[in-house]
Amino acid sequence: MTVTYQDSNARMSQVAVHNQTVYLAGQVPSDASADMKGQTEQVLARIDSLLEQAGTSKHQLISAQIWVTSMDEFAVMNEAWDAWVVPGRPPVRAAVEAKLAKPEWKVEIMVVAALPGA
């Protein structure tokens, strides 16, 4: 089966599609000066955009992996997540505390979604 890649550079792609499944790279905030809720909202908006570009949406989420830099802010991240996720269609999910690639980032989220009709 064919694998297609979108938004690629020499190191990585933001999106890979294989076998009716869309895989996103970990997404980070564009404005790292925002607080945890703001950074999470930025990341979720980027995920919406990439999923749409790939032909799907958060309605088709299968799984999510979330990294936060401090579990002290986990509840704040969840406020943004809970407002975003489709009611009755939450993906399987894991969330861990981790050191991210840039110290100003507070959250990184990676998702997998199905294409509609898959």
Side-chain angles (χ1 to χ4, degrees):
M1 296 195 174
T2 304
V3 179
T4 59
Y5 302 95
Q6 301 171 11
D7 285 344
S8 303
N9 61 33
R11 178 168 293 144
M12 64 182 288
S13 296
Q14 293 299 315
V15 180
V17 181
H18 174 261
N19 198 23
Q20 299 296 97
T21 305
V22 176
Y23 302 86
L24 297 190
Q27 299 302 307
V28 295
S30 55
D31 177 9
S33 69
D35 63 9
M36 174 62 89
K37 187 172 183 183
Q39 286 195 22
T40 303
E41 289 169 344
Q42 290 174 43
V43 169
L44 296 173
R46 176 73 172 142
I47 288 170
D48 280 335
S49 177
L50 289 169
L51 290 174
E52 181 180 350
Q53 176 183 311
T56 191
S57 73
K58 65 185 178 183
H59 290 82
Q60 300 294 115
L61 284 182
I62 297 169
S63 68
Q65 296 175 353
I66 302 172
W67 297 270
V68 296
T69 55
S70 172
M71 280 299 183
D72 292 339
E73 295 190 280
F74 186 68
V76 175
M77 180 279 301
N78 272 328
E79 287 177 25
W81 175 269
D82 292 345
W84 175 80
V85 75
V86 177
R89 298 186 65 95
V92 297
R93 188 182 104 160
V96 298
E97 184 178 84
K99 183 176 179 180
L100 300 180
K102 290 189 178 180
E104 60 270 24
W105 291 339
K106 295 177 172 288
V107 61
E108 182 169 350
I109 302 174
M110 182 176 186
V111 301
V112 176
L115 288 172

